[in-house]
Amino acid sequence: NAVESLSSVAVEAGNWRDPAFLAGRQYDVVVADYLLGAVEMHWPHGADGMFDRLLSATKPGGYLLIAGLEPYELILDRNDAKERLVLDIESIGESAAYVAGESTYREIPREWVQRQVQRFSGEYEVVAARDFAMKLTARSLKSQTSYANDVGKKIQDEQLRNAFLDRITALEREVDKTWGRVETVGQNYGIIIKKSKTAI
């Protein structure tokens, strides 16, 4: 194990919903690598609480680095066949999860992150931000339909469950039929936030 060979590295396991987890600990650099988009799955409506935890974990004068995925529905166009397919696959997974009573992922837009920083005017500053084109493969789309299929099977009503599973199968066939090896659809973003040296 690579971590075991580094005496200065410690792996902390815990739940960010627990106020005691890493309480009072601060770091020169905090990296949230697509973390915010996963919060809803494990901490419903907890994105703002998670963001506050990340800010407080950053030392004065330190940096918070955030990578995220811009929500598809904000940037993709249903009038474009490939973009519609991506939207339909995401929508079927989300709706199947909700009908099955499951939590699901919820991507957070770049604008939301920047608004959170503005709440702490003078304490935190966005020093760099950039968008990156995203490349999607058929395999990555199939991983999303696989997720949709897994949660769809948990829907209790038989007719509704079968309708969802049939639609998921149809979307998988459409991916096989129309998707190239790699398609540029959607965008990721990166944001660097600096904490003031005088902030707590």
Side-chain angles (χ1 to χ4, degrees):
N1 188 310
V3 173
E4 291 176 351
S5 65
L6 300 174
S7 59
S8 61
V9 174
V11 177
E12 304 282 355
N15 190 330
W16 281 111
R17 297 181 69 171
D18 177 6
F21 179 57
L22 296 181
R25 300 274 290 275
Q26 290 187 315
Y27 304 88
D28 294 318
V29 178
V30 175
V31 179
D33 185 24
Y34 298 91
L35 172 63
L36 293 175
V39 169
E40 189 72 17
M41 172 75 83
H42 309 284
W43 185 359
H45 310 293
D48 57 341
M50 181 74 253
F51 195 80
D52 288 351
R53 294 292 303 273
L54 293 172
L55 291 175
S56 65
T58 306
K59 279 185 179 181
Y63 294 88
L64 169 59
L65 283 59
I66 294 179
L69 170 65
E70 197 69 22
Y72 292 145
E73 66 270 18
L74 297 184
I75 57 173
L76 300 188
D77 181 3
R78 284 196 173 275
N79 293 317
D80 179 280
K82 292 190 183 302
E83 294 185 6
R84 177 199 54 75
L85 179 57
V86 174
L87 287 166
D88 283 354
I89 290 173
E90 181 185 51
S91 297
I92 197 71
E94 288 184 350
S95 55
Y98 290 135
V99 173
E102 299 272 319
S103 296
T104 189
Y105 297 98
R106 181 169 180 253
E107 301 300 342
I108 301 295
R110 168 177 160 175
E111 182 183 358
W112 182 94
V113 175
Q114 293 173 315
R115 285 202 307 268
Q116 299 307 303
V117 175
Q118 291 170 3
R119 292 192 293 128
F120 302 93
S121 179
E123 296 182 59
Y124 299 89
E125 177 188 5
V126 173
V127 295
R130 182 177 171 184
D131 295 326
F132 302 88
M134 184 173 68
K135 297 184 182 299
L136 281 176
T137 64
R139 181 178 179 181
S140 62
L141 289 176
K142 286 290 190 71
S143 71
Q144 293 181 52
T145 57
S146 177
Y147 164 75
N149 193 65
D150 288 343
V151 293
K153 290 177 180 177
K154 298 178 182 179
I155 297 174
Q156 292 186 0
D157 183 274
E158 182 179 3
Q159 285 186 310
L160 192 55
R161 180 175 64 249
N162 290 338
F164 267 94
L165 296 179
D166 287 346
R167 178 58 179 152
I168 293 164
T169 298
L171 289 171
E172 288 179 331
R173 289 173 179 164
E174 189 172 349
V175 171
D176 290 334
K177 183 179 179 181
T178 66
W179 206 262
R181 290 186 60 187
V182 179
E183 302 282 354
T184 302
V185 179
Q187 67 186 31
N188 300 290
Y189 60 83
I191 299 176
I192 301 176
I193 301 163
K194 185 174 182 178
K195 187 171 185 175
S196 167
K197 291 183 179 179
T198 60
I200 298 175

